[in-house]
Amino acid sequence: IVDGHVLPRQELDALQTGQFETMPLIVGSNRDEGSLLTASWPVDSLAAYRVLMADNFGDAQSEAMRHYPAASDAQARPAVAAAFADTQFNLGVRLLARAAARRGPDVWRYLFMRRRPGQAQGPHHGEEVAYVFDNLRACWGAVPDLACRSVAAAMGQAWVDFAGGHDPAPAGADRPWSRFDIARDNHFVFDAPLAVGAHWRRDAL
């Protein structure tokens, strides 16, 4: 709530103008931020997909449909999920990382990619939290597999390092987690194996 005191302006305006407090930052998103959160939406046909894209993108509908194409009823729901993920999560992550990096160097961006065994979609929004705390049993009652356990150990160590005022160093990583650079658009990939990447969903974003 923009109250003029604690929050004097909309966060988008603050980020774009650089009028915000700086601090060391870890920011990231998950491979599949959209499918679970749009699962109940009535978008199982091309007609419903086109209506939703028109309602949300207006004059930019044609451009949006190029980035989130659907040529059949079966493709409508995945296209909507991808559009939702980008507009509600992925674009904001990139904006926050860029805005913070312009003000200071201590910004690290991640992409969480690890799916549990047998998981056809995901990882969904919020699934990385148990990995950050290296406590998979809290979510599933048992550790899914050795690969998930190694990713949890890597994330847990990185966040402990960061909280202690150090550069985050994921346990078991062959390559360092480099600070976010606007030109490189880089991120660290939490999956098995651990990796580095760049330009996540660049064209659509």
Side-chain angles (χ1 to χ4, degrees):
I1 299 173
V2 178
D3 62 0
H5 300 284
V6 176
L7 192 62
R9 62 182 61 82
Q10 293 287 353
E11 72 271 21
L12 180 60
D13 176 61
L15 290 171
Q16 290 177 331
T17 60
Q19 296 176 308
F20 60 93
E21 296 295 327
T22 59
M23 65 187 71
L25 177 69
I26 288 178
V27 61
S29 56
N30 295 356
R31 174 193 296 192
D32 180 7
E33 295 278 7
S35 66
L36 183 64
L37 296 175
T38 59
S40 63
W41 292 16
V43 288
D44 289 316
S45 70
L46 277 176
Y49 154 79
R50 293 186 181 113
V51 168
L52 185 142
M53 298 300 274
D55 287 346
N56 282 274
F57 292 99
D59 292 340
Q61 177 187 0
S62 295
E63 182 180 359
M65 291 173 69
R66 283 195 293 106
H67 291 295
Y68 310 104
S72 66
D73 289 348
Q75 294 174 347
R77 183 170 295 280
V80 168
F84 179 86
D86 282 349
T87 58
Q88 303 304 308
F89 297 102
N90 296 322
L91 183 60
V93 165
R94 191 181 70 163
L95 172 63
L96 182 54
R98 287 180 168 184
R102 290 189 185 101
R103 298 285 305 278
D106 295 332
V107 179
W108 289 268
R109 183 178 173 187
Y110 72 87
L111 178 64
F112 182 68
M113 298 282 283
R114 182 61 191 166
R115 285 177 173 165
R116 302 189 305 276
Q119 187 179 20
Q121 295 178 320
H124 303 293
H125 184 68
E127 283 192 26
E128 81 278 26
V129 174
Y131 288 79
V132 168
F133 287 95
D134 195 2
N135 189 6
L136 302 182
R137 295 182 187 279
C139 286
W140 303 301
V143 177
D145 62 6
L146 184 60
C148 287
R149 186 173 180 178
S150 69
V151 173
M155 296 189 80
Q157 183 60 58
W159 263 252
V160 167
D161 291 338
F162 178 79
H166 307 289
D167 291 0
D174 294 330
R175 300 177 65 179
W177 185 356
S178 300
R179 285 172 170 80
F180 176 74
D181 178 84
I182 295 174
R184 293 168 54 209
D185 194 27
N186 58 300
H187 58 266
F188 192 86
V189 179
F190 284 100
D191 199 352
L194 303 169
V196 296
H199 304 302
W200 169 244
R201 300 191 60 78
R202 174 178 58 184
D203 293 341
L205 297 181

